[in-house]
Amino acid sequence: MSSIAEKRSVGAVLWEYLTTVDHKKIAHLYLFGGGFFFLLGGIEALLIRIQLLKPQFGFMSEETFNEMFTMHGTTMIFLAAMPLLFALMNAVVPLQIGARDVAFPFLNSLGFWLFFFGGVFLNLAWIFGDAPDAGWTSYASLSLFSEGHGIDYYTLGLQISGFGTLISGINFLVTIINMRAPGMTFMRMPMLTWTTFIASSLILFAFPPLTASIFFLMFDRLFTTNFFDVTAGGNTIIWEHFFWIFGHPEVYILILPSFGIFSEIISTFSRKRLFGYSSMVFATILIGFLGFMVWAHHMFTTGLGNVANAIFAVATMAIAVPTGIKIFNWLLTMWGGSIKITVPMLYALGFIPSFVIGGVTGVMQGIAPLDYQLHDTYFIVAHFHYVIVGGVVFALLAGAHFYWPKMFGTMLSERLGYITFVLFFIGFHLTFFIQHFLGLWGMPRRVATFLSGQGLDMGNFISSIGAFMMGIAIVIMLVNIVITTVKNQKVGNDPWEDGRTMEWALESPPVYYNFKQTPFVRGIDTYWIEKMEGNKGLTPAEPLDDIHMPNNTIMPVIISLGLFIAAFGMMYNPMNQVGDGKPWAIPVLIIGLCITFGTMLIRSIKDDHGYHIPKEELMNDKHKGGIAS
Amino acid sequence: MKKWILFIFIFFSALITTGCGKPFLSTLQPAGEVAEKQYNLFLLSFSVMAIVILVVVTIYVIVLVRFRRKKGDENKIPKQVAGSHKLEVIWTAIPILIIIGLSIPTVYLTFYFGDVKGMERVDEQGDPKHLVVNVRANLYWWEFEYPDLGIITSQDLVVPTGERIYFNLKASDVKHSFWVPSIGGKMDTNTDNLNTFYLEFDPEKSDEAGNIFYGKCAELCGPSHAYMDFKVKAISRDEFDRWVLAMQKNEEPELASELAVKGKQLFEENDQFSCISCHATTARDDRPEATRLGPNLADFGNRTRVAGYLEFTKENIKNWIQHPEEYKPGNLMYEKADFTDEELEALAEYLMSLKVQE
């Protein structure tokens, strides 16, 4: 049990979180930040489904509807799914590889605050009147045509949060390459670590094209350049290529860590090691690689020509092979196991059939000549919600339940968890299954309403009902979180009893330096090996010694805040397309950038060597830090 | 569990074949060669995928039934199996074979649908063999130009059944996408370049669907994206030729009533707007397309819809003229007009009398 029971003031806690560089606390920040945006995106989804409850409902104006689904998509992808995955990665990956923190704790904090300020900036669009309205894809001809500052919130907000994502991605790459404990070879890494590694390398290659294209779009709108202005010799198809060269890998950035989470859960609750570990690793790498080869399947109807369409069609279908390998490996992991049905496992079990449906409709859309019919209809809406909700969101919910004890030291109620799962699962299929048919019956996506007499009424009605079930499920989950937090019943190291990887050898939550002594890794599923040999903890790889720790710092917040301020100056600069330039804009831009770069300069000049926890203090510390002794 | 799955499968198979969709809109009730082939491709891939799902679900159910942790087995540690090369090879090889199988029709049909060489084919006299239509998408209306026939129409595309029709597609403001679901897959209208493809309307299926097909804009283009519908009248070649002749006459029909004459005057000259400066009322419009700012209104009296989606009634025409922003927000005509009721009546009367044939 934790010995720290001292009460701290709210201000002190707040300051702790603002300045923290501890990966476990940053995980909390990502969880709350991402969770907040997830709720926001969810409310937007419900409003969308209310509008489509019946033909020509008129619940909101067409303009508002366009803003609603644009913000729903943008929020869910950039501000909810990715940060929530980062929350779980931050919480777990350093523990899984036996590290005391990520490679660059300062950058870890900076990554979070950039994401957070970018997200807040984007959502301020609601308050100041013009939300982006050109879809999360923001195709250039429409986004240049869009009135008001909506698209500027999109370009500036995503650039700021995009920096954060890129920084976090690089951080995880370096962490996983450099910080593994002795004996933790690449082929002994847990699947979540592997998938984080691959997803991070996808971030490294996918985000620069997005940044570049958003930069172009921003300059077109704010500084009257002509990258995408056809009348002035620009080209809008280039935007589509740029966007999807980012956009396709992006969905793998989301789904690969989700695969990782499910791999951990399935093998834990089947009490078996992952079946075909090396082929799982290989499949992950292959999916990541192929993910960059298929972007033009989003553009089959753009008119790229027969050769391009045929090549991209076949390449797209090829991704089904490594994905299939994964599905069968999960099934075979369970085969012969001792399956315990817990809430995380339920999500994993719900995930397999849901994701298979999403996968096969993906193959169908990969068939270019068939995609001419399916593209931009509700069929595609159904497809990507099957993979993103059925894959990523299920993984996030499963992961939240699974790692909650490791993150907060308490167990979410299993009973409420079951209710959440059942409602969410049924609601999900109710919402999206029928949408395949709506698309086939001729309903285009992104329509603000539909007319009666076209055979679309019933399907839309069913879909909206389902959405509300999902909404209720999430509310129950929130209740669950509140109850659990209030009860505050602390649990031990390995609350699921079948933990396999190193994080379960540590306290829940782990002490701030994670491992008192760096552990020694003797094979896949380190903790499982020790448990099977009757050991209570991990084997140390080094004698007890001083631990070097980084200092907390407020600088990441200030750096991010500077960019946040500069973005307003950028948006209202006198050259902007909307024509409402403000005299204060340029000074604000300069002040903002000065804050950011000035803080970076101070950080560079002022050496911060961190501090050491002396050996004596560690010896007296009651915390075990994962080591059996 | 298995029974359930079978039930669901049968239920949805029934949904597909009978369909809640409408014959003038649904891709599942194809009424032309392109849509037919795409539908067959759909059925083929769907069947293959159904088998895949069945295999996965079968293993899944067996696993769940056989390997759940039972009472008394709480401490049992199952055998830690690392993997199986044989199995890995099987579930790598079979999907590869399936995908190679699916690739064949995929590649074949990609090139088949993409073959627009017929567009330039001519007969012995040097006349084009096939009908070509230039589609120009605008916020939020469609222009259909028949370059070889010298006529232009808007919103209602008129085509002969039983032959291939080639389309040149482009957009004049933002990107749109041209889609007639029950006739064939869509193609984007880009602002950058001309896209080309073809469609064919089946005579019998067209009759069954009432000779009117619904067309849609499939690419988000602004607030009124949902209202950017158009209609396709698919008629026999003879009827089509008669329509073309009537359109080519290039003169407005005799106006029968006093009211219509007054409407014509208002149309050409009124205090608020100059309708005629954007809207031509005859099908031969020689102005360059950049100056054709509004839909061509020749044969307006025979339109199936007002503003592309409202029922064709005098009341709707009047409402549309007076408050376009309410019906198509973001449209480029004007936000609202201030016509008196008599003026609206006269304008509507005039527009409804614009018919090239009865």
Side-chain angles (χ1 to χ4, degrees):
Chain A
M1 284 300 293
S2 169
S3 59
I4 306 165
E6 51 187 311
K7 288 263 178 212
R8 285 184 302 167
S9 70
V10 178
V13 174
L14 197 66
W15 182 251
E16 169 67 27
Y17 272 101
L18 283 171
T19 58
T20 186
V21 291
D22 180 350
H23 72 99
K24 298 178 287 298
K25 292 219 166 79
I26 290 173
H28 294 175
L29 289 172
Y30 268 119
L31 190 70
F32 290 119
F36 170 73
F37 288 119
F38 179 72
L39 293 181
L40 217 57
I43 291 167
E44 283 155 5
L46 289 182
L47 295 173
I48 289 170
R49 278 323 312 174
I50 292 176
Q51 164 73 4
L52 294 175
L53 192 65
K54 55 182 194 179
Q56 294 194 279
F57 190 10
F59 175 73
M60 61 176 93
S61 75
E62 292 82 355
E63 178 62 36
T64 314
F65 183 86
N66 287 1
E67 295 174 353
M68 207 56 86
F69 71 71
T70 301
M71 287 299 281
H72 166 69
T74 314
T75 304
M76 284 303 196
I77 296 280
F78 292 102
L79 309 180
M82 262 200 302
L84 287 172
L85 285 171
F86 275 138
L88 296 176
M89 291 175 186
N90 258 307
V92 179
V93 169
L95 307 181
Q96 281 196 332
I97 60 174
R100 294 213 171 91
D101 206 323
V102 292
F104 307 115
F106 179 87
L107 287 187
N108 202 12
S109 163
L110 182 61
F112 168 77
W113 289 108
L114 283 169
F115 139 70
F116 184 74
F117 278 105
V120 169
F121 184 83
L122 179 57
N123 275 281
L124 283 179
W126 285 121
I127 297 169
F128 295 131
D130 302 301
D133 59 355
W136 86 287
T137 53
S138 207
Y139 274 12
S141 59
L142 183 61
S143 54
L144 286 184
F145 201 82
S146 171
E147 287 165 12
H149 277 299
I151 304 294
D152 303 327
Y153 281 104
Y154 173 92
T155 55
L156 290 161
L158 286 194
Q159 274 187 77
I160 297 172
S161 76
F163 286 138
T165 308
L166 189 57
I167 287 172
S168 304
I170 293 170
N171 204 352
F172 275 111
L173 275 180
V174 180
T175 304
I176 293 171
I177 292 172
N178 281 340
M179 310 276 287
R180 283 168 291 125
M184 176 61 85
T185 61
F186 269 96
M187 289 312 278
R188 283 177 183 173
M189 291 194 318
M191 266 327 275
L192 178 56
T193 301
W194 254 114
T195 51
T196 299
F197 182 61
I198 301 300
S200 299
S201 54
L202 295 191
I203 287 176
L204 183 65
F205 291 108
F207 266 72
L210 175 76
T211 311
S213 57
I214 287 189
F215 199 71
F216 290 160
L217 182 60
M218 178 183 83
F219 264 70
D220 268 12
R221 288 185 55 96
L222 296 180
F223 299 103
T224 59
T225 55
N226 295 314
F227 293 106
F228 304 118
D229 184 352
V230 177
T231 54
N235 189 309
T236 60
I237 309 295
I238 290 290
W239 167 271
E240 293 181 33
H241 281 294
F242 264 124
F243 187 85
W244 288 117
I245 285 172
F246 149 76
H248 197 80
E250 168 67 17
V251 297
Y252 293 107
I253 293 169
L254 299 179
I255 200 67
L256 288 180
S258 308
F259 286 170
I261 292 167
F262 283 128
S263 298
E264 303 291 342
I265 289 172
I266 288 173
S267 92
T268 300
F269 294 109
S270 303
R271 229 179 233 177
K272 259 184 79 197
R273 64 175 279 181
L274 198 63
F275 191 88
Y277 172 84
S278 42
S279 72
M280 286 294 248
V281 170
F282 175 71
T284 308
I285 297 171
L286 199 61
I287 292 174
F289 180 75
L290 286 174
F292 279 98
M293 305 290 155
V294 297
W295 79 89
H297 69 212
H298 299 267
M299 301 164 64
F300 280 151
T301 66
T302 302
L304 299 180
N306 302 338
V307 177
N309 279 5
I311 290 172
F312 279 99
V314 177
T316 302
M317 287 190 277
I319 293 190
V321 178
T323 316
I325 291 176
K326 281 185 165 275
I327 298 281
F328 286 113
N329 274 314
W330 284 318
L331 290 172
L332 264 284
T333 303
M334 291 191 280
W335 188 284
S338 169
I339 301 171
K340 186 179 176 191
I341 308 283
T342 58
V343 172
M345 191 60 180
L346 263 184
Y347 281 106
L349 291 173
F351 152 79
I352 290 177
S354 310
F355 192 80
V356 169
I357 294 174
V360 298
T361 54
V363 175
M364 289 167 75
Q365 281 168 133
I367 301 173
L370 177 56
D371 183 66
Y372 299 160
Q373 281 288 26
L374 309 176
H375 179 79
D376 265 345
T377 68
Y378 259 82
F379 192 91
I380 183 78
V381 176
H383 159 71
F384 67 67
H385 281 97
Y386 259 87
V387 290
I388 291 191
V389 180
V392 181
V393 176
F394 277 22
L396 290 171
L397 296 176
H401 280 92
F402 188 52
Y403 291 118
W404 197 269
K406 202 43 70 186
M407 289 177 80
F408 298 98
T410 53
M411 286 282 260
L412 290 173
S413 152
E414 287 279 286
R415 214 164 54 90
L416 286 176
Y418 290 137
I419 299 172
T420 305
F421 170 78
V422 170
L423 277 175
F424 197 84
F425 186 77
I426 296 174
F428 160 67
H429 284 279
L430 210 54
T431 310
F432 295 111
F433 197 84
I434 193 74
Q435 290 187 358
H436 292 111
F437 292 92
L438 284 172
L440 292 168
W441 294 333
M443 183 169 168
R445 70 190 278 206
R446 292 170 165 173
V447 285
T449 187
F450 55 97
L451 305 174
S452 57
Q454 302 190 356
L456 307 172
D457 305 16
M458 194 47 150
N460 276 297
F461 183 75
I462 294 173
S463 185
S464 294
I465 299 296
F468 275 89
M469 288 181 70
M470 291 162 79
I472 295 168
I474 294 298
V475 170
I476 294 175
M477 177 156 177
L478 290 179
V479 171
N480 193 354
I481 289 172
V482 171
I483 293 177
T484 307
T485 311
V486 171
K487 270 194 192 156
N488 200 20
Q489 264 171 353
K490 295 291 179 195
V491 292
N493 293 3
D494 188 11
W496 300 106
E497 291 163 4
D498 290 322
R500 307 180 70 83
T501 41
M502 266 193 284
E503 71 271 29
W504 303 110
L506 300 173
E507 288 96 335
S508 305
V511 64
Y512 63 105
Y513 48 78
N514 293 354
F515 297 92
K516 198 173 269 185
Q517 288 159 278
T518 301
F520 181 66
V521 177
R522 290 183 293 155
I524 292 174
D525 296 336
T526 315
Y527 185 46
W528 181 261
I529 292 174
E530 302 288 353
K531 271 200 289 192
M532 286 301 107
E533 291 180 4
N535 300 333
K536 287 241 159 56
L538 303 168
T539 311
E542 54 172 19
L544 188 63
D545 205 349
D546 295 358
I547 295 177
H548 182 205
M549 296 295 288
N551 283 326
N552 281 5
T553 164
I554 191 69
M555 281 185 189
V557 179
I558 299 174
I559 292 176
S560 311
L561 183 70
L563 286 180
F564 177 79
I565 294 168
F568 283 100
M570 202 73 145
M571 191 158 69
Y572 286 104
N573 89 76
M575 285 171 82
N576 82 60
Q577 178 185 304
V578 180
D580 61 350
K582 301 276 195 295
W584 49 257
I586 297 297
V588 165
L589 174 63
I590 292 169
I591 292 169
L593 291 179
C594 283
I595 294 173
T596 297
F597 288 107
T599 317
M600 283 161 77
L601 189 70
I602 294 169
R603 158 91 186 158
S604 307
I605 294 169
K606 204 188 90 184
D607 280 338
D608 181 356
H609 293 298
Y611 65 98
H612 283 84
I613 313 172
K615 193 174 159 186
E616 296 70 37
E617 197 182 316
L618 286 170
M619 275 176 4
N620 299 329
D621 194 340
K622 274 183 295 201
H623 290 284
K624 287 242 166 57
I627 303 303
S629 53
Chain B
M1 186 87 183
K2 254 184 183 167
K3 263 185 193 162
W4 258 100
I5 288 154
L6 197 67
F7 171 76
I8 292 169
F9 187 74
I10 291 168
F11 175 72
F12 283 108
S13 308
L15 255 183
I16 289 176
T17 42
T18 59
C20 296
K22 301 286 182 194
F24 50 78
L25 183 64
S26 175
T27 65
L28 300 179
Q29 298 175 51
E33 189 210 353
V34 177
E36 181 85 46
K37 287 203 157 65
Q38 286 163 340
Y39 179 61
N40 290 339
L41 204 48
F42 170 77
L43 289 184
L44 171 76
S45 55
F46 182 76
S47 324
V48 174
M49 293 307 148
I51 296 170
V52 172
I53 292 178
L54 208 68
V55 171
V56 172
V57 168
T58 311
I59 301 175
Y60 180 84
V61 171
I62 295 174
V63 165
L64 278 191
V65 171
R66 277 185 55 191
F67 299 111
R68 257 181 315 174
R69 196 170 300 176
K70 305 199 175 58
K71 279 241 164 67
D73 270 355
E74 279 85 359
N75 292 322
K76 196 187 128 201
I77 303 296
K79 195 169 162 234
Q80 304 290 309
V81 187
S84 154
H85 276 295
K86 210 202 275 167
L87 285 173
E88 299 286 357
V89 169
I90 290 173
W91 62 54
T92 309
I94 293 177
I96 289 179
L97 291 178
I98 293 176
I99 281 173
I100 291 174
L102 281 175
S103 297
I104 295 166
T106 301
V107 174
Y108 173 75
L109 282 175
T110 304
F111 283 88
Y112 184 84
F113 292 142
D115 177 13
V116 288
K117 285 199 284 287
M119 213 162 192
E120 272 119 46
R121 266 184 214 127
V122 287
D123 59 15
E124 290 90 38
Q125 281 92 45
D127 292 329
K129 262 189 156 169
H130 294 282
L131 179 65
V132 175
V133 182
N134 294 344
V135 176
R136 190 162 65 96
N138 309 273
L139 293 164
Y140 299 95
W141 58 279
W142 300 84
E143 181 182 83
F144 306 108
E145 181 185 10
Y146 302 73
D148 302 321
L149 308 173
I151 55 174
I152 294 174
T153 183
S154 299
Q155 300 294 57
D156 283 12
L157 168 65
V158 182
V159 292
T161 55
E163 57 184 271
R164 267 192 194 180
I165 301 148
Y166 289 86
F167 293 91
N168 288 312
L169 306 161
K170 69 161 158 182
S172 51
D173 30 48
V174 302
K175 185 184 174 91
H176 305 272
S177 188
F178 178 82
W179 187 33
V180 192
S182 47
I183 303 302
K186 63 192 73 61
M187 188 101 185
D188 293 353
T189 60
N190 295 328
T191 51
D192 310 81
N193 63 312
L194 208 59
N195 275 339
T196 46
F197 83 146
Y198 65 84
L199 294 173
E200 190 185 327
F201 294 73
D202 185 83
E204 279 154 43
K205 296 272 175 58
S206 296
D207 285 339
E208 279 166 35
N211 293 92
I212 303 276
F213 292 101
Y214 282 35
K216 302 221 169 240
C217 172
E219 182 68 56
L220 175 67
C221 53
S224 288
H225 168 52
Y227 306 123
M228 199 175 151
D229 288 6
F230 60 96
K231 301 289 172 291
V232 189
K233 281 186 203 170
I235 50 183
S236 70
R237 185 75 212 190
D238 290 347
E239 264 182 274
F240 178 75
D241 287 338
R242 280 201 294 280
W243 176 77
V244 170
L245 275 179
M247 288 287 275
Q248 284 172 333
K249 263 195 279 174
N250 195 32
E251 56 196 38
E252 280 188 33
E254 290 281 312
L255 295 177
S257 68
E258 192 89 348
L259 196 59
V261 175
K262 197 185 160 218
K264 184 179 163 71
Q265 282 168 0
L266 277 170
F267 188 84
E268 283 161 7
E269 216 173 322
N270 66 61
D271 299 338
Q272 302 177 46
F273 309 103
S274 170
C275 310
I276 192 83
S277 65
C278 296
H279 297 281
T281 52
T282 56
R284 281 188 183 274
D285 189 349
D286 299 330
R287 295 176 296 165
E289 64 182 28
T291 58
R292 303 198 295 259
L293 296 175
N296 185 304
L297 298 178
D299 210 20
F300 182 86
N302 285 323
R303 287 271 181 86
T304 52
R305 289 289 190 284
V306 178
Y309 78 102
L310 301 165
E311 216 184 312
F312 192 80
T313 62
K314 197 168 200 177
E315 207 47 41
N316 277 338
I317 297 175
K318 284 159 64 179
N319 288 339
W320 165 245
I321 294 174
Q322 192 79 311
H323 303 288
E325 183 69 16
E326 269 176 34
Y327 295 92
K328 276 191 171 175
N331 81 85
L332 302 179
M333 186 151 78
Y334 44 73
E335 265 193 33
K336 66 178 186 109
D338 198 15
F339 292 113
T340 64
D341 207 42
E342 289 115 69
E343 286 175 324
L344 284 176
E345 190 75 23
L347 279 167
E349 181 70 23
Y350 167 63
L351 290 175
M352 287 179 88
S353 64
L354 286 174
K355 293 182 180 177
V356 298
Q357 59 185 164
E358 279 310 311

